[in-house]
Amino acid sequence: MTEIETGAGSAVRASAPPRRPLRQLLAASVGNAVEWYDWYAYTFLATHIARQVFPSGSGDSLVPLLSTFAVFAVGFFMRPVGGLLMGAIADRRGRRTALTVTILLMGGSSLLVGLTPAYASVGVLSPVVLVAARLLQGLSVGGEFAASTTFLVESAGPGRRGLFSSFQYVSTTIGQLAASGLAALLVARLSEEAMNGWGWRVPFLLGAVLGLAGFWVRRGAEETLAHRPAEAPRPGLFDALRHHPRASLLIAGITAGGTLAYYTWTSYLPTYAELETGIAKRDALLAGTLSLAFFALLQPVGGLLSDRFGRKPCLLFFGLGFALLVVPLLRALDGSFGSLLLVQGAGMVLLTGFTSVSAAVNAEVFPARVRAAGIGFPYSLTVALFGGTAPYIGTLLKELGRPGLFPWYVAVLCLCSSAVYLRLPERAHEPLDR
């Protein structure tokens, strides 16, 4: 162990990476997959939830869907709070403690979604319960990214931070894949009446059980936060923002284009294709499931490339690629299963430039003392502003008769993030502050 100086001038022992990195990888990945399974089940079942929880207005079938996506966005706005609070717990009490709290929160909120009563039975209490559950899920997910990002990257050995970083989205995608696959299976096997009545609840009730399993796995993980002397001051809730404002802004700039593209491609695109081209829901869900499997396989490749050649080339591949190609890609959708699958696959290749290195880039920006809270708040706030609102903005533009503006919105924001990537210091081959 070696001594390093914190921002407050106190000496802190820097720990080596954990002795069992593969076990650490499993602990982070299993729990993260469960977290994101619960989170994304809502997205894939949005149209069924809409019919049960929100009354239609003025005979317009898009009104319940807009309300459901509005709740989707509301959940995102709790993510900065979760990132700040759980990040502070991770910096003060340890990464493992924060990770066990977040997965218990997610399991409980998933159970609440699954038990939400229908509007026809309890009236306005139905959307109130759903909103409360999504707020808790947002709190959990915001904290999950902050804690798991630091935990994963600090668990990596020399020259492997990019590879370990990529498993943030490998596990996230596995969770999405499970949610998408189960939704597709339920839609295929159940009648429309059964799906709208009770079928959509099944994934959330299962998610509550999986949350307990993830909690058990994480309890056996090794702590990665370096031991600090008893006299060393604990970081305050807003220390990262006060002492590292430029780093906080940098996280926001890195994330803005990536999160919009990510949520557009992995969550909203099946609904977008359904609204724009009339493709059957079953085909849209199947294309989404296949493209997610492809996306998960790409992540370690991107992480290894970033360890070899650096983070900036990967980020620029994503940012400039999306800025140039998102409009023609979305215009290529023609209502067929094949076109949707090809468009999603092409976007996943470009998106890997961001997702495979995101955790490593974020962790390399902040010192260990405030790393989790420093990442959690600006990252989650940016995701809330641009990622969480993507389905709502896309659906709203369709409602207003201007759906063609949405691809341009994605392109412009990706171009803005590319300008940040150009000026980003390259830290792939520098040691990580522990």
Side-chain angles (χ1 to χ4, degrees):
M1 289 189 176
T2 59
E3 297 288 333
I4 61 174
E5 291 295 318
T6 69
S10 301
V12 174
R13 285 192 175 187
S15 63
R19 295 183 300 273
R20 301 167 118 185
L22 291 180
R23 183 176 178 181
Q24 298 289 98
L25 201 59
L26 179 65
S29 299
V30 169
N32 199 45
V34 173
E35 286 267 354
W36 290 99
Y37 161 85
D38 289 336
W39 179 258
Y40 280 109
Y42 183 93
T43 307
F44 293 121
L45 297 164
T47 55
H48 300 286
I49 296 172
R51 295 187 182 102
Q52 287 292 299
V53 178
F54 296 99
S56 59
S58 304
D60 188 346
S61 63
L62 282 181
V63 171
L65 186 57
L66 278 170
S67 299
T68 310
F69 280 140
V71 176
F72 181 78
V74 164
F76 272 86
F77 280 94
M78 280 299 287
R79 289 179 63 166
V81 179
L84 189 62
L85 293 179
M86 297 301 166
I89 290 173
D91 289 332
R92 293 168 66 94
R93 302 292 182 183
R95 320 308 192 199
R96 186 179 64 179
T97 299
L99 288 172
T100 54
V101 171
T102 59
I103 199 149
L104 286 177
L105 273 176
M106 181 57 81
S109 55
S110 182
L111 179 63
L112 192 57
V113 174
L115 297 177
T116 299
Y119 186 91
S121 301
V122 296
V124 72
L125 182 61
S126 178
V128 168
V129 171
L130 183 65
V131 169
R134 287 299 289 180
L135 290 176
L136 287 174
Q137 284 190 326
L139 187 72
S140 173
V141 168
E144 172 69 20
F145 187 89
S148 64
T149 291
T150 54
F151 180 85
L152 266 175
V153 178
E154 289 171 355
S155 295
R160 286 291 180 264
R161 292 201 303 267
L163 176 62
F164 271 56
S165 167
S166 70
F167 278 86
Q168 178 76 30
Y169 279 92
V170 169
S171 54
T172 297
T173 306
I174 289 172
Q176 282 183 269
L177 193 59
S180 174
L182 182 55
L185 179 64
L186 289 170
V187 169
R189 295 293 183 181
L190 298 179
S191 67
E192 188 74 9
E193 182 181 2
M195 194 66 203
N196 291 332
W198 58 268
W200 65 269
R201 300 177 186 275
V202 172
F204 299 104
L205 299 177
L206 177 60
V209 177
L210 293 174
L212 292 176
F215 171 75
W216 179 78
V217 171
R218 284 185 165 177
R219 288 187 63 193
E222 184 179 344
E223 180 55 62
T224 64
L225 179 64
H227 172 72
R228 292 188 175 87
E231 66 274 12
R234 292 183 181 273
L237 192 61
F238 296 101
D239 273 11
L241 289 172
R242 278 201 303 265
H243 300 302
H244 304 279
R246 185 179 180 276
S248 298
L249 290 173
L250 191 60
I251 294 289
I254 291 167
T255 305
T259 189
L260 176 59
Y262 176 76
Y263 281 100
T264 297
W265 235 254
T266 63
S267 300
Y268 179 58
L269 192 55
T271 302
Y272 177 87
E274 199 178 333
L275 294 175
E276 271 302 291
T277 69
I279 189 172
K281 180 185 296 293
R282 183 180 301 180
D283 288 343
L285 283 172
L286 179 58
T289 301
L290 293 174
S291 64
L292 282 172
F294 175 58
F295 183 60
L297 294 174
L298 290 174
Q299 300 311 297
V301 177
L304 286 169
L305 288 173
S306 79
D307 283 332
R308 178 73 181 273
F309 301 108
R311 320 294 186 218
K312 285 178 68 172
C314 294
L315 290 171
L316 288 169
F317 170 75
F318 152 72
L320 295 177
F322 250 92
L324 293 172
L325 296 176
V326 64
V327 174
L329 281 173
L330 290 182
R331 285 181 176 173
L333 295 172
D334 60 11
S336 68
F337 172 80
S339 72
L340 178 56
L341 187 61
L342 286 173
V343 166
Q344 282 201 288
M348 296 304 192
V349 173
L350 295 172
L351 192 55
T352 296
F354 170 77
T355 54
S356 63
V357 304
S358 175
V361 171
N362 290 340
E364 289 161 358
V365 167
F366 282 97
R369 180 177 179 272
V370 293
R371 180 171 289 140
I375 293 169
F377 182 72
Y379 174 87
S380 297
L381 181 60
T382 307
V383 171
L385 290 172
F386 299 106
T389 58
Y392 186 81
I393 289 175
T395 307
L396 182 61
L397 288 172
K398 170 67 175 178
E399 173 83 347
L400 296 175
R402 304 299 297 273
L405 291 179
F406 185 71
W408 288 104
Y409 168 56
V410 179
V412 169
L413 202 59
C414 287
L415 189 61
C416 292
S417 282
S418 295
V420 176
Y421 303 152
L422 281 170
R423 298 178 60 83
L424 186 69
E426 181 61 75
R427 296 192 173 110
H429 304 114
E430 296 178 7
L432 183 71
D433 169 36
R434 296 184 184 276

